[in-house]
Amino acid sequence: REGKACNNCKEGYFPLENGTCQKCQEADLLPAIAIFILIPMAIILLSCFNMDPNQQSLNLLTAAAVTSQIIMSVQALGSIRQLSIDWPVPVKSLIDLTRLLTFNLDIIK
């Protein structure tokens, strides 16, 4: 480990749940490359649909805004789950519930 408080793994390594670092393999780069290709392609595809925002229903826009806020809240709670804090039981249960709803980006390594 290196960096402030030995928080970061060396280049070419990724952190494990137990705090150690494991060396990346060539197959570990494949999901990251796929994501960096798929996201720009999705943005280009969505921009091709050329929808007029004035024709969208206000209810649909409100639902989209509320949904995005909920997703951001769940992601924030998922980040809090990774802190080494001994939470009381009701809070711990709520934070552990976010494990089902968060995206596990550690798969990308």
Side-chain angles (χ1 to χ4, degrees):
R1 291 198 164 269
E2 60 188 12
K4 291 183 181 179
C6 298
N7 189 42
N8 303 328
C9 291
K10 293 181 181 177
E11 190 169 329
Y13 288 78
F14 65 94
L16 296 174
E17 293 273 334
N18 62 5
T20 61
C21 297
Q22 183 176 347
K23 186 174 173 105
C24 293
Q25 299 171 358
E26 289 183 27
D28 294 337
L29 296 176
L30 186 61
I33 292 171
I35 285 178
F36 286 119
I37 291 173
L38 291 176
I39 289 176
M41 286 178 60
I43 292 171
I44 291 170
L45 240 159
L46 289 174
S47 67
C48 290
F49 284 116
N50 196 11
M51 292 186 298
D52 185 14
N54 293 330
Q55 294 178 354
Q56 295 295 320
S57 166
L58 186 58
N59 291 337
L60 179 64
L61 294 176
T62 303
V66 169
T67 303
S68 67
Q69 291 296 317
I70 291 172
I71 290 171
M72 289 175 56
S73 299
V74 168
Q75 288 292 88
L77 283 173
S79 297
I80 291 171
R81 179 175 37 93
Q82 294 179 347
L83 299 174
S84 298
I85 298 175
D86 190 24
W87 296 100
V89 175
V91 177
K92 183 172 176 39
S93 300
L94 177 66
I95 291 175
D96 284 341
L97 181 63
T98 63
R99 185 177 304 224
L100 301 173
L101 303 172
T102 55
F103 303 115
N104 186 5
L105 296 179
D106 289 335
I107 292 172
I108 299 171
K109 300 176 187 172

